[in-house]
Amino acid sequence: MIITEKLLQRFHEGLCTPEEEEAMKRWLSEDEDLPSEISLIDSREFRDSKDSILNKIELLGADLSESESDQGVPLSPKQVDFRKPRRALAIRYATAAIILCTVGFFTYQFSDYAFGNGTEQSIASRTIKTQRGEKRTITLSDGSTICMNYETEIKALETFERDQRIVYLTGHAHFDVARDTERPFIIYTKDSKTQVLGTSFEINTKEEGATEIIVTSGKVAFSEKDKVNNLVTLTLNDRAVLGADRIIKTDEVDAQRLTAWRENKLLFDGETLAEIIEVLEPWYDIEITVESEELLKEDFILSLDNPPLSSVLEDLSFASGLEYKIKGKQVIIF
């Protein structure tokens, strides 16, 4: 694999595919005697002025050139010894890395300002996160939208590459991917890879050691991250779960009901109170204590559209006779 400046940028931002990351690590390991300045660019340099950044580039070039001088006489920063092309390449990448750090800082600052606290925004670059009790819809540069559930992280480039569209996910999100037959859309999680051309589906990595995907339209290829032979093809209402044992299990579900959360709907069909509490706590950013073990085993059928917490508790109370108290973010059920 050829090491390009674009690949360096992706590596710097943590957006490389597993194959690209392996190639970068292999390339770097071959240059153990490179000056340490290349890997020591830290956040303090984000705050340097343009002149200071340019000065650092010149100094770094001078240091590298000096180490290449056969007679011990420092070369000019512009007089790179091309008899050792890898070191000449290293100078260019060191320069690019410093510039990327500077540009990246201002892009990140602008992104923070642009996103604000709205419910639907346009993604610029870097990483977007949601907290407990928060949902957010973001729009990617290709027109695809991602509805993020609480405690979810999305990482993507500002502009996708010409041959592919790559996103990294941790948490729970629904994707509505704009169709592009020339550029497959790929979602990486810690353990899985999902590839589509244009369709809608959701992925959930919140269960420890497992990744779940549910298809709401079109066709999806779902596989273990680094093993293309461990792959399944899914269509509408198909669900697949990649477990900790690396086995993919599939079944057919009601996708509309299971993805209703993105429309702020709470739908429960036979779930126990214990299972319902697992949804309610991060949904409303609360802590629930149940004083009766028997209550936790009771099951409920509920359908609520964008309900306040009080409405959910009232419906639970009506269905089972339970009582509750609300103290700030603490809810006690007895």
Side-chain angles (χ1 to χ4, degrees), residues 4-185:
T4 64
E5 292 188 10
K6 180 180 288 187
L7 181 57
L8 178 73
Q9 177 179 1
R10 290 167 57 79
F11 184 75
H12 170 69
E13 296 179 345
L15 295 174
C16 284
T17 64
E19 294 82 5
E20 291 169 338
E21 184 174 351
E22 179 62 29
M24 280 296 303
K25 289 179 178 178
R26 187 164 55 249
W27 181 75
L28 290 172
S29 68
E30 294 171 358
D31 289 284
E32 294 178 348
D33 57 340
L34 283 176
S36 60
E37 287 85 349
I38 291 179
S39 60
L40 292 179
I41 301 169
D42 61 29
S43 60
R44 290 189 301 273
E45 294 188 16
F46 292 152
R47 296 167 176 80
D48 289 345
S49 66
K50 178 180 177 181
D51 290 341
S52 179
I53 292 295
L54 293 175
N55 184 52
K56 288 177 186 293
I57 293 172
E58 291 184 0
L59 290 175
L60 184 55
D63 289 342
L64 286 170
S65 299
E66 183 175 359
S67 68
E68 295 293 350
S69 175
D70 293 334
Q71 293 79 24
V73 179
L75 297 173
S76 163
K78 295 182 180 179
Q79 296 173 330
V80 180
D81 188 348
F82 288 101
R83 289 173 295 175
K84 299 187 178 181
R86 185 175 293 281
R87 295 196 180 281
L89 191 62
I91 294 176
R92 289 208 306 275
Y93 288 139
T95 301
I98 295 175
I99 295 173
L100 284 172
C101 285
T102 310
V103 174
F105 172 70
F106 289 110
T107 301
Y108 181 78
Q109 291 291 78
F110 174 79
S111 299
D112 274 355
Y113 176 81
F115 290 137
N117 296 314
T119 57
E120 185 165 355
Q121 293 112 353
S122 175
I123 189 168
S125 64
R126 303 290 184 176
T127 300
I128 310 300
K129 297 180 181 180
T130 55
Q131 308 301 320
R132 281 171 61 96
E134 179 187 11
K135 297 182 187 68
R136 177 176 293 185
T137 298
I138 58 177
T139 302
L140 304 178
S141 59
D142 67 334
S144 298
T145 59
I146 305 175
C147 182
M148 302 168 63
N149 208 345
Y150 50 77
E151 296 178 315
T152 293
E153 177 179 303
I154 292 289
K155 186 183 292 185
L157 289 175
E158 179 179 5
T159 303
F160 288 122
E161 296 184 12
R162 293 182 178 180
D163 58 345
Q164 61 185 352
R165 299 169 287 170
I166 295 178
V167 170
Y168 295 83
L169 166 71
T170 302
H172 188 191
H174 185 277
F175 294 79
D176 192 353
V177 177
R179 187 165 182 79
D180 186 340
T181 58
E182 301 297 323
R183 294 187 300 169
F185 194 101

Side-chain angles (χ1 to χ4, degrees), residues 183-201:
R183 294 187 300 169
F185 194 101
I186 302 171
I187 302 98
Y188 286 105
T189 70
K190 179 182 177 183
D191 302 308
S192 72
K193 175 183 177 181
T194 302
Q195 182 166 326
V196 302
L197 296 178
T199 183
S200 58
F201 54 92

Side-chain angles (χ1 to χ4, degrees), residues 310-322:
S310 58
S311 294
V312 179
L313 296 173
E314 280 297 323
D315 280 18
L316 291 173
S317 177
F318 179 79
S320 69
L322 62 78

